[in-house]
Amino acid sequence: MQYMVPEFEVERNTSRCISCGACVRQCSYEVHYFDVDGKTVLADESKCVACHRCATICPTHAIKIKAYDMAYKPHANWTPVVQQEILKQAQTGGVLLSGMSNNKPYPIYWDRILLNASQVTNPSIDPLREPMEIRTYLGRKPKKLEFHKNGKLKTKLEPQIKLETPIMFSAMSFGSISFNAQKSLAMAARKLGTLFNTGEGGMHPGLREYSDCAVVQVASGRFGVYKDYLENCRFIEIKIGQGAKPGIGGHLPGEKVTVEVSNARMIPEGSDAISPAPHHDIYSIEDLRQLIWSLKEATQYKKPVAVKIAAVHNCSAIVSGVARAGADIVVMDGFRGGTGAAPTRIRDNVGIPIELALAAADQRLRDESIRGTVSLVAAGSFRNSADIVKAIALGADAVYVASAPLIAMGCHMCQQCQTGKCNWGIATQRPELVKRLNPEIMHERVVNLITAWNHEIKEMLGGMGLNSIDSLRGNRMMLRGIGLSDRELSILGIAHAGE
Amino acid sequence: MKKVIAREALCLDCKLCEVFCRTAHSKSKDVVRAHLYEDPAPVARITVEGDILDSVAVNCRHCDDPACVNACITGAMHKDPETGIVSCDESRCIGCMTCLAVCPVGCIKPGRTAVKCDLCQETGEPACVKNCPNRALVYVEVGGDAQ
């Protein structure tokens, strides 16, 4: 007997259903099927994950996915979700797995922070009429600049990364997402003048032509890391942790390790790709320093090296250590960051919000007078341009986004990435599903999204009377908290609204 | 001339091209009415062949030297010298289906008269191309003998 009740219900408007069978052929979870008459479409609701592929593709909008309306005796503690999870574990004996990001209603500080605007005493700027600079440079900055008498720069600059927008695409490995999804991001990054990130799964040969807008990751599994990989990028990122699952490594199930994935990762086909929880050669900041400088040496000091850590309890001290270890860019990934698969308990309970981690780290680096030596990149769920503007005012040089572009490409947050059955062709390696994501279309949608965000960022900057994103960076005077405690305000380093 | 080109690597086997072809060639032009209530039921001029792994939408190639036109015994099937579009003049077609028998790509559908793709001349862009969710069908200039 199945103890679990279905989560969703498929409502088919039979007066509109034309039995074209698009839903039947499109559902990788095999929810929809034809009755023996070959005309009536039926549904096995227990398999539905609410990815909305059927409802979206249905030419007559005859399908509606609804929550399965099962009444439970109300209990504030033993909610239906809690009971369902217990039933699932009682049945399988396994660790609960989920995709995407933290699903618990923790406070979202972005929604408790307000932005400033100019009135009377300093004029606001209209970005449609006046130049507005959102170009961003990442990399280690010199403490001071010296010039020759002829005005030429004397100080030797470390390699800098020029971005036309402070928005980059976060690491999503080939394996966790499809080649087409990665290619869409790469194409979009090139058009937008920003970077995409290969993730820890090596680089597919088909993406080599996009190496001028690639960030390559070196993670604990060291999948696909070799000389050419390190040289074909704009910067190298050492992944220590991931916001969605701090403290554990990635696990790509063998089913997703196809020939292509196995080639890119340099592992046998069909074998589980398990990234160890730690880097087994990094047990201290000193060890990390060795890896950072090894990578710099390997690339003739031409590539900046970034270190990505998950936002955890004492992350500001860690960021300071990482900066001193020689990282040019420090990436912090908050607990709302996404993943292709993580144990649900870890996803939902480990780590801290990026808002607090970012503010604390920026403040710590400033207190230690080393803020200028590194670029800070924030990651972990930026839902819109306002979140990004707030992050930059809290001290980020740039941000990483991934979930938002995935949504632009069709993701409906069904959180089943770990099953490899993604109906949108994103988190899957099955050829019949991968081809559903046409990079020609999808890169345009991602470009549209980020272009729209760029416009909005410029509008908000103009409203604040700023004409450059550099004037906003770490400018917490532009932020006010609303409904926050004194403690929260002091960690964020901002005043309350009205102050 | 411009033709509909199918890119099989992108075909989803969703068959929406068939649905919207039927709709575009229906009386009501309404997707639900066209499929549920119209009699005679409109016929799709495009067919998706294959399965979920490998599929491709096949429709008339509007050949430079069309076998169907050469074979037509009444002159109903004709190739427009200007646009290059091969279409069937239903007022002259007697439904003998010789065209169907000789078509090398199997793109003529049986009905009271022969039914085939007209590249949605009235609306400009073919309905199959306009409604393909994955741009597996594109309407592009491919040369050919039409002026």
Side-chain angles (χ1 to χ4, degrees):
Chain A
M1 185 173 72
Q2 278 278 355
Y3 285 78
M4 285 176 292
V5 292
E7 274 186 272
F8 305 103
E9 210 172 312
V10 180
E11 189 178 283
R12 197 181 315 274
N13 182 344
T14 48
S15 68
R16 290 191 68 80
C17 177
I18 57 170
S19 306
C20 69
C23 51
V24 178
R25 289 184 300 276
Q26 290 288 299
C27 183
S28 63
Y29 296 91
E30 297 172 337
V31 171
H32 303 274
Y33 60 98
F34 277 114
D35 200 358
V36 282
D37 65 1
K39 268 193 82 81
T40 315
V41 189
L42 303 173
D44 177 358
E45 297 168 334
S46 64
K47 296 176 183 165
C48 180
V49 299
C51 75
H52 299 172
R53 178 76 185 181
C54 55
T56 312
I57 204 110
C58 177
T60 62
H61 307 296
I63 301 172
K64 200 191 275 177
I65 307 297
K66 299 170 84 177
Y68 192 82
D69 192 15
M70 175 72 105
Y72 284 76
K73 177 87 174 168
H75 197 292
N77 191 34
W78 297 100
T79 59
V81 172
V82 171
Q83 292 183 45
Q84 291 281 310
E85 286 174 343
I86 289 174
L87 289 171
K88 203 184 262 184
Q89 290 194 298
Q91 191 158 317
T92 62
V95 172
L96 289 176
L97 285 179
S98 298
M100 294 323 294
S101 54
N102 197 319
N103 191 17
K104 281 202 177 173
Y106 296 111
I108 299 173
Y109 287 96
W110 302 129
D111 295 338
R112 307 275 184 89
I113 297 176
L114 300 171
L115 293 169
N116 194 21
S118 299
Q119 298 293 300
V120 185
T121 52
N122 54 341
S124 47
I125 299 169
D126 184 347
L128 294 175
R129 293 193 175 83
E130 292 177 62
M132 184 66 70
E133 189 72 78
I134 58 165
R135 184 175 287 165
T136 298
Y137 287 89
L138 297 183
R140 183 169 285 266
K141 308 287 187 292
K143 285 222 159 124
K144 62 173 183 178
L145 290 174
E146 286 183 90
F147 295 90
H148 290 292
K149 281 204 175 118
N150 63 5
K152 290 261 169 73
L153 191 63
K154 196 192 233 173
T155 316
K156 197 172 168 291
L157 285 180
E158 299 281 332
Q160 300 289 316
I161 307 293
K162 183 169 124 183
L163 305 172
E164 296 301 334
T165 166
I167 307 167
M168 299 186 287
F169 302 127
S170 336
M172 287 179 284
S173 68
F174 172 51
S176 74
I177 63 169
S178 65
F179 172 70
N180 285 6
Q182 257 196 351
K183 189 174 176 188
S184 307
L185 291 173
M187 290 165 78
R190 175 171 287 168
K191 267 199 182 169
L192 292 161
T194 184
L195 306 178
F196 80 104
N197 192 315
T198 62
E200 63 167 319
M203 192 190 264
H204 189 286
L207 292 178
R208 184 54 66 84
E209 59 178 302
Y210 296 96
S211 55
D212 62 322
C213 49
V215 178
V216 296
Q217 213 178 41
V218 175
S220 58
R222 304 283 153 90
F223 297 121
V225 177
Y226 69 116
K227 188 166 170 285
D228 274 13
Y229 175 70
L230 297 176
E231 282 174 351
N232 279 286
C233 70
R234 293 288 294 287
F235 72 82
I236 302 166
E237 182 176 276
I238 301 171
K239 178 194 165 191
I240 300 291
Q242 185 177 342
K245 43 183 174 180
I248 61 167
H251 181 155
L252 187 70
E255 300 89 69
K256 274 183 154 182
V257 183
T258 58
V259 182
E260 282 181 294
V261 175
S262 93
N263 286 339
R265 294 205 175 213
M266 302 176 174
I267 55 168
E269 190 186 338
S271 62
D272 284 13
I274 299 172
S275 295
H279 286 246
H280 282 303
D281 52 358
I282 301 179
Y283 279 54
S284 65
I285 288 282
E286 290 76 14
D287 290 345
L288 175 64
R289 183 183 181 83
Q290 282 195 5
L291 180 60
I292 292 172
W293 290 96
S294 304
L295 291 172
K296 287 190 177 185
E297 182 73 30
T299 51
Q300 292 93 44
Y301 298 89
K302 286 181 190 152
K303 311 280 182 195
V305 173
V307 174
K308 177 180 179 177
I309 60 159
V312 288
H313 297 176
N314 51 351
C315 58
S316 49
I318 299 165
V319 168
S320 163
V322 170
R324 287 164 200 280
D328 303 297
I329 301 162
V330 183
V331 183
M332 300 175 77
D333 193 7
F335 77 160
R336 263 181 255 110
T339 176
T344 311
R345 296 290 165 252
I346 288 179
R347 186 195 74 167
D348 290 351
N349 295 284
V350 182
I352 63 169
I354 187 62
E355 301 91 320
L356 302 177
L358 172 63
D362 178 64
Q363 193 56 50
R364 170 105 181 203
L365 294 177
R366 286 204 223 182
D367 293 345
E368 297 176 357
S369 305
I370 54 170
R371 176 64 185 88
T373 64
V374 285
S375 295
L376 258 187
V377 175
S381 194
F382 295 96
R383 302 159 299 166
N384 53 50
S385 54
D387 289 356
I388 293 170
V389 168
K390 290 168 190 174
I392 288 169
L394 280 180
D397 285 280
V399 301
Y400 264 141
V401 296
S403 299
L406 290 191
I407 293 172
M409 290 197 270
C411 170
H412 277 56
M413 287 281 154
C414 71
Q415 304 168 45
Q416 300 297 317
C417 322
Q418 76 281 0
T419 63
K421 289 184 181 175
C422 178
N423 264 322
W424 295 93
I426 300 169
T428 178
Q429 298 301 326
R430 286 163 53 165
E432 74 274 24
L433 303 178
V434 173
K435 70 178 176 182
R436 293 180 182 180
L437 199 158
N438 180 357
E440 254 176 59
I441 304 174
M442 293 311 168
H443 93 275
E444 283 169 14
R445 294 177 59 84
V446 175
V447 168
N448 284 346
L449 174 76
I450 304 300
T451 307
W453 284 11
N454 286 344
H455 283 307
E456 290 174 342
I457 291 172
K458 288 177 182 176
E459 289 283 351
M460 281 181 267
L461 280 176
M464 288 184 264
L466 306 175
N467 63 4
S468 154
I469 197 124
D470 289 322
S471 312
L472 178 71
R473 196 158 288 127
N475 187 348
R476 299 189 196 178
M477 294 298 287
M478 291 298 163
L479 303 177
R480 289 290 185 274
I482 184 156
L484 294 176
S485 70
D486 284 352
R487 191 91 187 121
E488 288 165 319
L489 291 170
S490 87
I491 294 168
L492 289 166
I494 60 175
H496 200 275
E499 285 182 310
Chain B
M1 69 174 291
K2 277 178 106 177
K3 289 186 184 176
V4 176
I5 302 295
R7 303 189 289 177
E8 65 272 23
L10 294 169
C11 180
L12 309 179
D13 195 33
C14 66
K15 307 197 180 183
L16 291 194
C17 49
E18 294 181 14
V19 169
F20 286 99
C21 180
R22 258 181 238 118
T23 308
H25 295 93
S26 67
K27 280 196 206 91
S28 63
K29 314 286 180 201
D30 176 276
V31 61
V32 177
R33 276 198 207 119
H35 285 80
L36 298 183
Y37 306 116
E38 281 190 23
D39 187 23
V43 178
R45 275 86 163 143
I46 189 165
T47 316
V48 178
E49 305 283 355
D51 54 26
I52 191 88
L53 267 174
D54 283 301
S55 56
V56 63
V58 185
N59 77 340
C60 174
R61 300 292 84 216
H62 298 275
C63 308
D64 288 349
D65 183 19
C68 55
V69 173
N70 295 338
C72 183
I73 57 170
T74 65
M77 198 65 81
H78 60 283
K79 186 173 175 75
D80 188 305
E82 267 181 31
T83 61
I85 295 173
V86 177
S87 48
C88 176
D89 178 353
E90 292 184 6
S91 65
R92 300 183 73 178
C93 178
I94 55 166
C96 71
M97 297 300 151
T98 313
C99 50
L100 186 149
V102 298
C103 176
V105 279
C107 283
I108 293 174
K109 309 291 171 191
R112 194 185 54 79
T113 62
V115 176
K116 71 173 294 302
C117 166
D118 55 4
L119 290 176
C120 294
Q121 271 171 294
E122 293 157 22
T123 54
E125 194 183 16
C128 52
V129 174
K130 200 155 62 184
N131 291 287
C132 177
N134 208 33
R135 270 188 223 165
L137 294 174
V138 285
Y139 190 45
V140 287
E141 185 60 53
V142 290
D145 60 356
Q147 299 305 307

